[in-house]
Amino acid sequence: KQEVTQIPAALSVPEGENLVLNCSFTDSAIYNLQWFRQDPGKGLTSLLLIQSSQREQTSGRLNASLDKSSGRSTLYIAASQPGDSATYLCAVYTGGFKTIFGAGTRLFVKA
Amino acid sequence: DAGVTQSPTHLIKTRGQQVTLRCSPKSGHDTVSWYQQALGQGPQFIFQYYEEEERQRGNFPDRFSGHQFPNYSSELNVNALLLGDSALYLCASSLEGPAGVSYNEQFFGPGTRLTVL
């Protein structure tokens, strides 16, 4: 049974700091991994999608990596800003058309 | 492009009632998935619809049912509501990939906040 874990559960950093969010999964048989951002009470905004054959994806200040063999993905945020404050969720898409989410990391960037 | 839309935004029901939530996928998408998100938790997969059929279901009872229409829009129905059904219900759409497996990105709607009293 696929399980997705995100560490840390919450993180508070000063503005301008570079930071890394972690996501681990127990079954390496995934089709893709997607990172999302969620503002309080809102829907999910897709940040990056990494296919199983890829190692990393970049968008602006965000970089996501994928290591299937170790069951890990990281989301790197460069030069964090107060507007980055949100909950970040990772999700793996498995065989059988299921998507399994982690519980998320709540990020607070202090001005 | 309007993206994924959901209605209603908020809903208040009492225990035992039935509710129907609606979702219109992003233009060009043919696959719709539904999720339940309790406060402080990640979304939990309910089921996925493709070609008007449910092709996968998560660990949810039969009280949760759905439908997909020929225009790819979808409904989520919940019968005999329980207090524990109070949550944010999210719909996501995607485009089916080659060989019947979706490699593609999921796009989410804003959600429907259901409160059961």
Side-chain angles (χ1 to χ4, degrees):
Chain A
K1 177 187 172 186
Q2 178 74 269
E3 293 182 2
V4 180
T5 303
Q6 292 189 245
I7 295 173
L11 183 63
S12 180
V13 300
E15 182 177 5
E17 190 161 301
N18 302 325
L19 58 101
V20 175
L21 307 181
N22 297 292
C23 172
S24 61
F25 47 95
T26 55
D27 186 346
S28 62
I30 65 171
Y31 286 110
N32 63 47
L33 184 146
Q34 197 166 353
W35 282 94
F36 296 89
R37 168 190 172 132
Q38 186 175 33
D39 294 295
K42 305 294 185 182
L44 278 63
T45 300
S46 177
L47 298 174
L48 289 165
L49 171 73
I50 311 177
Q51 302 291 357
S52 61
S53 58
Q54 298 174 323
R55 297 283 295 183
E56 66 177 330
Q57 284 287 337
T58 298
S59 176
R61 295 183 293 109
L62 305 179
N63 175 276
S65 68
L66 175 63
D67 183 345
K68 277 181 54 178
S69 61
S70 67
R72 295 179 64 181
S73 176
T74 61
L75 178 66
Y76 174 83
I77 302 177
S80 59
Q81 304 169 357
D84 295 331
S85 298
T87 295
Y88 291 81
L89 295 152
C90 73
V92 297
Y93 188 64
T94 69
F97 313 111
K98 277 189 179 181
T99 298
I100 309 298
F101 277 85
T105 294
R106 290 198 308 174
L107 173 65
F108 180 63
V109 181
K110 298 171 287 187
Chain B
D1 183 3
V4 180
T5 60
Q6 292 185 244
S7 63
T9 304
H10 296 90
L11 208 48
I12 300 175
K13 293 287 188 177
T14 57
R15 282 176 296 175
Q17 285 189 313
Q18 177 266 342
V19 68
T20 298
L21 311 182
R22 295 176 176 82
C23 171
S24 291
K26 183 179 170 66
S27 177
H29 284 186
D30 57 6
T31 303
V32 173
S33 301
W34 286 92
Y35 298 84
Q36 179 194 68
Q37 187 178 25
L39 204 60
Q41 298 183 20
Q44 299 293 313
F45 175 77
I46 302 175
F47 40 54
Q48 185 182 84
Y49 276 85
Y50 172 68
E51 292 188 338
E52 302 179 48
E53 293 204 358
E54 179 187 302
R55 67 176 180 181
Q56 185 57 269
R57 169 180 280 265
N59 189 25
F60 280 82
D62 291 344
R63 297 187 297 110
F64 289 77
S65 64
H67 189 77
Q68 186 179 34
F69 299 94
N71 67 353
Y72 307 119
S73 67
S74 177
E75 288 182 348
L76 164 65
N77 300 293
V78 187
N79 294 322
L81 286 167
L82 303 173
L83 295 179
D85 294 332
S86 295
L88 181 67
Y89 288 83
L90 297 163
C91 166
S93 73
S94 57
L95 179 63
E96 181 72 359
V101 178
S102 176
Y103 293 97
N104 294 301
E105 194 170 3
Q106 291 192 67
F107 291 85
F108 280 75
T112 294
R113 171 71 61 186
L114 172 64
T115 302
V116 182
L117 301 176

